[in-house]
Amino acid sequence: MYAPGPFSAMTSFAADVPTMLAMVIASSLLLSAALTVVVGGRQHDGLALWALVLLLNAVAHALLALRGLVPDVLSIVVANTLLSCVFAGLIQAVLQFQGRPARWALVLAPAVPILFLVMVFLDDFQARLIAVSVVLGVQAYWALWAVLARRRVTVGRGQWLLMAGLGLEALVLLVRASLAASLPTTQIGLLQGDTLQTLTFMTTFCVVLLTSIGLVTMARERADEANRILATVDALTGAANRRALINALDRDVARATRARTPIALLMVDVDHFKGVNDQHGHLVGDRVLYSVVQALKERVRSQDLVGRYGGEEFLVLLPGTDLEGAHHLACKLREVMESLRIPIDGATIGVTVSIGVFGGQLDPGDSSDMLIDAADYALYEAKKNGRNRVELAAQLRRHPTLVDAGGKAEAHPASLQ
């Protein structure tokens, strides 16, 4: 992506420069056309912009390939300025993918010194080569830094392909500038190759492929993640949806049965939620549900799972937790909800919850449905006994023992199977 500089002292590994230029031009044009077809004009992921940048890269290298056939102002000045714009476009494509604001004035700024330096050193090949390589190398590192800065929040491995390409490009450019400053040079013509030119254009070809594949992979991985979220997360509250919740419960029940470790399940119901909807409207009701979920999430462990079971009912899955631990957490959650104040139109409203709890070790044959039934029946008892309270189910068997929050046990004849 830059003007080549031949070194007569390095001739042990040289390829035909026009052929390499043709490879760079052809790959840039083909990838640009393919991306244009695939992205269909979508702008948010940076791919449409990168397709345009690839086209610009092909034009720049075509001007380089025409050295001696077109005026130097085109094959040297315009070509190298366009190459700086290519790096600027790449940086902007990365920022666009990350959802960061456009910074065209900033990212295009290096094109100004490139234009100035190339014109000043138009007849000094060595100085021009050093200046162009340094500026483009800095731009490559800038693009690399833009990717690195968001690597922890970028989904997938495509970003590592992009970083590999940018790191390779920056390294070769700055090594090229260093060698140009330290070795004697002979301007033998753009289209006559030496080792450094060969490595330079091979790197350019590889970088075009790596960056393009990296950006496409990043876009695909982000789309896959978005689909995964749609399939597993409740859109209103941000909790796990019913399908994801049941899958996790089945998995943890099997693990707890196999490892003989305890497991607990809380069923949380917002008290008098219909009255909230009737009095304040469904938008306020939605805000209440969202606030309840956020409060639940803030007070459970990373290995626990909060899911929306249906309507205003939520399940909190607690692997590795016995009945005592689940009871303690449920009481804390009830207190938190009782003190929760949800702002609406300059005022606040409060809510309370009823919680049914099951916790303990499982036996072979116990199922996730049995856990749900136990927690659900305990919830029924909490609502029957006045709401805004916690009730415990200590067993899963046909005549389970129900224990109220104060520790009093009673035999209940209902089947929880």
Side-chain angles (χ1 to χ4, degrees):
M1 294 181 177
Y2 34 80
F7 289 87
S8 57
M10 303 174 67
T11 58
S12 59
F13 176 62
D16 183 61
V17 173
T19 300
M20 291 187 294
L21 281 169
M23 290 172 59
V24 173
I25 295 168
S27 61
S28 297
L29 288 174
L30 288 172
L31 287 169
S32 177
L35 286 175
T36 300
V37 172
V38 170
V39 301
R42 297 194 308 272
Q43 300 292 329
H44 63 277
D45 54 13
L47 291 181
L49 177 58
W50 180 237
L52 180 60
V53 171
L54 286 170
L55 182 60
L56 194 65
N57 189 55
V59 172
H61 283 85
L63 290 176
L64 292 177
L66 293 173
R67 181 72 57 84
L69 300 177
V70 298
D72 285 350
V73 69
L74 293 176
S75 66
I76 298 177
V77 179
V78 174
N80 284 289
T81 304
L82 287 179
L83 290 174
S84 179
C85 293
V86 167
F87 281 99
L90 175 57
I91 295 169
Q92 187 56 50
V94 171
L95 296 179
Q96 191 176 93
F97 176 86
Q98 296 170 342
R100 299 161 72 179
R103 296 183 174 182
W104 280 113
L106 183 61
V107 298
L108 285 172
V112 176
I114 284 279
L115 177 62
F116 175 77
L117 292 170
V118 170
M119 293 181 67
V120 169
F121 299 122
L122 191 60
D123 297 323
D124 187 340
F125 181 75
Q126 185 176 21
R128 187 175 74 238
L129 176 63
I130 295 171
V132 170
S133 297
V134 168
V135 175
L136 296 185
V138 169
Q139 286 186 276
Y141 272 118
W142 185 355
L144 177 60
W145 175 251
V147 182
L148 283 169
R150 298 294 181 94
R151 68 188 184 280
R152 297 188 185 279
V153 295
T154 302
V155 177
R157 301 178 180 179
Q159 60 182 324
W160 297 105
L161 291 176
L162 183 57
M163 286 189 287
L166 293 172
L168 177 63
E169 181 83 341
L171 177 63
V172 170
L173 280 167
L174 296 183
V175 168
R176 185 169 184 262
S178 176
L179 290 176
S182 60
L183 294 178
T185 64
T186 302
Q187 188 170 357
I188 57 176
L190 173 65
L191 303 181
Q192 299 179 28
D194 60 17
T195 300
L196 193 56
Q197 270 187 283
T198 299
L199 292 175
T200 295
F201 283 111
M202 286 182 63
T203 299
T204 300
F205 177 70
C206 292
V207 167
V208 167
L209 295 179
L210 281 174
T211 51
S212 298
I213 295 173
L215 282 169
V216 170
T217 303
M218 288 165 63
R220 180 188 60 79
E221 289 172 333
R222 185 164 68 179
D224 289 345
E225 177 66 10
N227 289 333
R228 184 195 68 79
I229 291 174
L230 286 174
T232 60
V233 176
D234 177 62
L236 173 62
T237 63
N241 63 19
R242 185 176 180 128
R243 177 181 179 182
L245 184 62
I246 297 303
N247 287 340
L249 185 56
D250 288 340
R251 177 199 64 207
D252 286 351
V253 164
R255 183 180 299 162
T257 303
R258 183 172 58 251
R260 301 295 297 160
T261 56
I263 187 172
L265 185 67
L266 313 184
M267 182 169 282
V268 181
D269 182 85
V270 180
D271 295 329
H272 305 296
F273 182 70
K274 184 179 184 298
V276 174
N277 277 336
D278 292 343
Q279 182 177 354
H280 300 285
H282 288 280
L283 290 179
V284 172
D286 291 347
R287 192 180 308 172
V288 167
L289 295 180
Y290 177 82
S291 299
V292 167
V293 167
Q294 299 316 302
L296 292 173
K297 284 184 173 182
E298 289 173 1
R299 288 161 180 84
V300 299
R301 305 165 301 178
S302 59
Q303 65 264 38
D304 301 331
L305 181 66
V306 176
R308 188 179 184 186
Y309 189 63
E312 66 272 20
E313 289 186 342
F314 302 91
L315 294 181
V316 183
L317 176 59
L318 306 169
T321 304
D322 59 16
L323 183 62
E324 182 181 357
H327 177 208
H328 178 75
L329 175 62
C331 290
K332 289 292 185 183
L333 292 176
R334 189 203 62 79
E335 293 173 2
V336 167
M337 297 304 172
E338 189 175 30
S339 63
L340 185 64
R341 291 297 176 267
I342 302 166
I344 55 163
D345 299 329
T348 61
I349 62 171
V351 296
T352 62
V353 296
S354 301
I355 305 177
V357 183
F358 166 79
Q361 285 194 340
L362 303 181
D363 295 323
D366 291 343
S367 68
S368 59
D369 288 342
M370 295 173 68
L371 269 71
I372 294 174
D373 286 345
D376 184 43
Y377 194 85
L379 173 63
Y380 169 79
E381 291 293 307
K383 294 168 70 175
K384 185 179 73 172
N385 292 331
R387 292 184 169 85
N388 189 25
R389 59 184 289 119
V390 174
E391 295 284 354
L392 311 181
Q395 300 178 16
L396 292 177
R397 297 312 173 203
R398 180 169 295 278
H399 300 292
T401 300
L402 278 172
V403 184
D404 66 20
K408 181 179 178 181
E410 66 176 49
H412 200 288
S415 169
L416 299 185
Q417 295 182 13

